[in-house]
Amino acid sequence: MARSIQENLAAGSGQSDDVEQYDVVVIGAGVTGLYALYRLRGLGLSVRVVDEASGVGGTWYWARYPGCRFDSESYSYGYSFSEELLQEWDWEEHYAGQPETERYLNYVADKFDLRKDIQFHTRVKSATYNEDENRWLVEATDGRKISGQFLVTAVGLLSAGYIPDFEGIHDFKGPWCHTGRWPKEGMDLAGKRVGVIGTGASAVQLIPMIAPEVAHLTVFQRTANFCAPLRNGPIDKETMAEIKTKYPEIFRACNETAGSFMHEFDPRSAMDVTPEERLAMYESLWEKPGFAKWLSNFRDVTVPGEANEDYAEFVRGKIRERVHDPVVAEMLVPKDHTFGAKRVPCETHYFDTYNRDNVLLVDVRKAPIERITPTGVKTADAEYDFDVIIYATGYDAVTGALLNIDIYGEGGELMKDKFVDGPRTYMGVSCVGFPNLFTVNAASVGNFVRAAEPLMDWVAECIGYVRDNGFSRISPTLESEDAWVKHVNEDGEKILRTKHANWFNGGNIPGKARALLTAPDTAPAMRAMRAKVAANGYEGFVLK
Ligand code: NAP
């Protein structure tokens, strides 16, 4: 609930002796938070990063389930800001797993001496803007407080795990967890009867990894997904040496594509070539690693229509080829959404796993989960007994982690109330009534590090501009915020991502407002827009 102005000012007075004062407080020590610290410290600012975890990594710290990895090429995912770092770090796999990425982020933290400015074991409960002082007071759940003139929420895009509100979750007698909060000590699954709920990108990675070690695995699927083979592999020394000579080219290529990935669409229409040529292209893409079969495809495969359906049918055929039992194969073949309307998970042995004798696929669209029992899961037509339950049920994306913090702006306005019908921001990064706050977690999407670096550069330059020009606060105008929200909603309607319930549009969370949570624009367009805003003296913002 919002606070009165008086309550807000009282709560937000950070002047007492026990409140440490910084120029900038950054919430989150993940990919963006680490770079924010490096970048802002480089401007001579005092910065404090706070994070709930005991180490760096953010999402890469928490999501340590077996098989967790990214689908971006490793060498396109690393930071680009330090040539020395690029030359020192050897990626082991083309698509690095969570342990390698966590090691990388620890290496970065050590190399740039970041840890000394990070306060671990600190979960932020609230942040309050004091308009008399133009400062943010950040309060942790253990009562500790710190204050900063600026606040950067680097809290992650996919970090607030979502578990459906099943009755009886806490009655289950065995261990259970969400993929995004996998225990550091691991889960003992060997020889156990395990139930996995969900078949999104996380489950698609987890399932083939655990199937060989468990006694029996039951997968509860509501929506079958268009998954494509990842085709991962180790990077040998010679290849890594060659990659190191090509970083400028790699980053240039990423910067030119819509999602900052190393894959560019074919400008032709799938329907302008012969069926033979089309099939040859599909087959050749299918053999390529990573997102090529999605993002290097004919341009019109990415929009609803004939080309999209033609390719969808090709992918369905690939799934049918892999799964021996035709009934199970049909359950795994997506028929209720357009190819690409949901994020395409990359897989390794996922479909083959359903050929194992110890794996059962259950359709919970037909017979939904009714409740969790002390011994397992009850659906509308059967009961299943388990030793362990794993929820691979996704995330309250983009706004989830942000709004889990009680953020009080001017006049005690609560951000949760402001965002009740969807995010209300200017360029995803800033909103009216919440001066000096940069919601960087809500503004980057695509190949994550490629998006996070330039965004954080822009924020750092903006903070530098505010201070160097003798201003003490910056916030957008209502007109610019209104125009941005209108743009997101109207142009968002034109893109595939809004055509089916998924995390990009809030449709995966019952009761969450259905609105595109990210920009509908390409990465180059977003960078150009921000650059223009900066060049015009932070057009659309009010500086005081
Ligand atoms: P997700 O894609 O949202 O999948 C959640 C799964 O849980 C879906 O299968 C969903 O079914 C199911 N589910 C939700 N509520 C349910 C209910 N009440 N009953 C039955 N099933 C239910 O989440 P995710 O797999 O964690 O992936 C989220 C995103 O994280 C990905 O899209 C990707 O961007 C990122 N990620 C990336 C990687 C990678 O780089 N390889 C790996 C993991 C995650 P419905 O589809 O029917 O809703």
Side-chain angles (χ1 to χ4, degrees):
M1 213 175 62
R3 288 171 172 161
S4 70
I5 296 176
Q6 289 74 12
E7 280 173 322
N8 210 43
L9 288 175
S13 170
Q15 298 292 26
S16 63
D17 290 346
D18 60 340
V19 178
E20 289 174 32
Q21 310 283 319
Y22 296 93
D23 293 325
V24 191
V25 174
V26 176
I27 309 177
V31 161
T32 313
L34 291 179
Y35 183 57
L37 171 55
Y38 171 84
R39 193 65 175 73
L40 293 164
R41 217 164 61 176
L43 294 181
L45 300 171
S46 62
V47 186
R48 191 66 163 167
V49 178
V50 293
D51 197 297
E52 183 186 357
S54 64
V56 300
T59 299
W60 293 112
Y61 173 94
W62 295 108
R64 47 182 76 235
Y65 61 86
C68 179
R69 67 180 67 251
F70 46 64
D71 295 336
S72 308
E73 289 66 29
S74 306
Y75 30 90
S76 78
Y77 189 90
Y79 292 113
S80 68
F81 68 84
S82 160
E83 183 56 29
E84 220 176 84
L85 172 65
L86 288 168
Q87 295 307 321
E88 280 170 13
W89 185 260
D90 291 334
W91 289 101
E92 287 170 13
E93 288 186 285
H94 284 276
Y95 302 90
Q98 179 274 337
E100 191 180 354
T101 307
E102 193 189 12
R103 266 200 312 280
Y104 171 73
L105 294 171
N106 274 280
Y107 183 84
V108 172
D110 291 334
K111 180 172 172 64
F112 299 100
D113 197 16
L114 300 178
R115 272 176 230 282
K116 65 175 186 207
D117 292 321
I118 305 175
Q119 185 175 312
F120 294 110
H121 305 289
T122 306
R123 183 175 172 82
V124 173
K125 184 178 81 174
S126 67
T128 303
Y129 185 71
N130 185 303
E131 49 212 272
D132 285 349
E133 298 162 10
N134 291 317
R135 294 184 69 83
W136 283 95
L137 183 75
V138 175
E139 188 172 355
T141 48
D142 63 6
R144 282 182 293 173
K145 294 177 182 173
I146 53 175
S147 158
Q149 186 188 354
F150 300 93
L151 178 63
V152 174
T153 56
V155 291
L157 199 66
L158 293 153
S159 50
Y162 161 69
I163 296 183
D165 192 15
F166 296 130
E167 210 186 314
I169 287 181
H170 295 277
D171 297 342
F172 181 64
K173 292 209 179 90
W176 58 274
C177 75
H178 183 272
T179 42
R181 285 276 162 140
W182 197 265
K184 213 171 174 184
E185 62 282 8
M187 294 282 281
D188 181 13
L189 303 178
K192 302 271 164 62
R193 295 163 307 165
V194 178
V196 172
I197 304 175
T199 52
S202 302
V204 163
Q205 294 181 326
L206 171 82
I207 287 165
M209 294 296 291
I210 63 172
E213 84 171 287
V214 303
H216 192 271
L217 178 65
T218 305
V219 178
F220 295 93
Q221 171 187 271
R222 190 167 64 183
T223 307
N225 259 315
F226 288 101
C227 308
L230 176 63
R231 306 200 194 287
N232 193 15
I235 302 179
D236 59 38
K237 274 205 165 82
E238 294 70 40
T239 309
M240 194 61 229
E242 199 190 335
I243 288 168
K244 286 183 183 176
T245 66
K246 290 198 172 144
Y247 274 125
E249 272 170 64
I250 291 170
F251 295 135
R252 199 176 319 116
C254 289
N255 280 345
E256 285 170 5
T257 65
S260 307
F261 292 104
M262 289 176 62
H263 309 284
E264 185 56 298
F265 292 112
D266 188 314
R268 295 173 299 166
S269 158
M271 296 299 133
D272 283 350
V273 302
T274 64
E276 294 73 26
E277 273 179 87
R278 203 156 54 227
L279 185 61
M281 164 94 160
Y282 293 165
E283 291 288 4
S284 121
L285 287 177
W286 204 251
E287 291 310 311
K288 291 194 172 150
F291 280 146
K293 43 280 228 207
W294 182 16
L295 305 178
S296 295
N297 221 313
F298 294 106
R299 62 170 164 73
D300 48 353
V301 162
T302 61
V303 288
E306 204 182 353
N308 181 291
E309 182 46 32
D310 189 64
Y311 189 65
E313 197 46 34
F314 170 83
V315 180
R316 292 184 190 114
K318 291 289 179 195
I319 298 172
R320 290 185 180 110
E321 278 172 18
R322 298 260 299 275
V323 184
H324 300 164
D325 181 334
V327 177
V328 179
E330 281 319 299
M331 286 167 77
L332 289 165
V333 166
K335 300 178 188 96
D336 63 354
H337 63 279
T338 319
F339 174 82
K342 278 169 167 273
R343 196 267 204 194
V344 176
C346 289
E347 54 89 22
T348 306
H349 305 313
Y350 175 65
F351 292 113
D352 321 283
T353 302
Y354 293 97
N355 297 329
R356 298 178 63 93
D357 290 339
N358 70 335
V359 177
L360 172 71
L361 181 64
V362 174
D363 182 348
V364 290
R365 169 95 48 207
K366 263 196 199 146
I369 294 173
E370 283 186 342
R371 61 167 296 140
I372 307 298
T373 69
T375 54
V377 172
K378 182 179 182 321
T379 67
D381 64 5
E383 276 199 55
Y384 303 85
D385 285 345
F386 299 121
D387 302 310
V388 181
I389 298 178
I390 298 167
Y391 294 92
T393 40
Y395 295 87
D396 183 353
V398 186
T399 49
L402 189 68
L403 302 182
N404 279 343
I405 302 169
D406 288 333
I407 303 178
Y408 296 99
E410 288 178 295
E413 184 182 14
L414 191 58
M415 189 177 269
K416 221 172 276 169
D417 294 340
K418 181 179 170 94
F419 280 24
V420 74
D421 296 322
R424 284 200 53 85
T425 72
Y426 178 35
M427 300 190 299
V429 80
S430 180
C431 39
V432 174
F434 298 81
N436 297 358
L437 167 64
F438 296 96
T439 52
V440 288
N441 66 301
S444 57
V445 74
N447 191 352
F448 195 75
V449 186
R450 296 281 65 72
E453 263 184 340
L455 173 65
M456 207 43 241
D457 286 338
W458 185 88
V459 169
E461 279 156 25
C462 177
I463 289 175
Y465 180 90
V466 173
R467 290 178 63 104
D468 294 349
N469 289 282
F471 298 113
S472 55
R473 49 169 279 164
I474 179 167
S475 72
T477 64
L478 186 58
E479 295 71 41
S480 53
E481 184 180 276
D482 281 344
W484 179 256
V485 173
K486 188 166 179 278
H487 163 65
V488 171
N489 292 337
E490 289 181 1
D491 288 356
E493 272 306 299
K494 297 175 196 155
I495 61 175
L496 210 44
R497 223 174 278 166
T498 57
K499 301 285 170 269
H500 197 281
N502 61 47
W503 65 259
F504 289 98
N505 57 40
N508 65 325
I509 308 288
K512 186 168 177 173
R514 185 87 177 247
L516 182 62
L517 299 171
T518 57
D521 311 275
T522 64
M526 280 307 296
R527 286 196 306 273
M529 192 183 307
R530 288 195 300 257
K532 184 166 167 268
V533 164
N536 290 340
Y538 293 91
E539 190 175 23
F541 286 94
V542 182
L543 289 123
K544 283 188 187 157

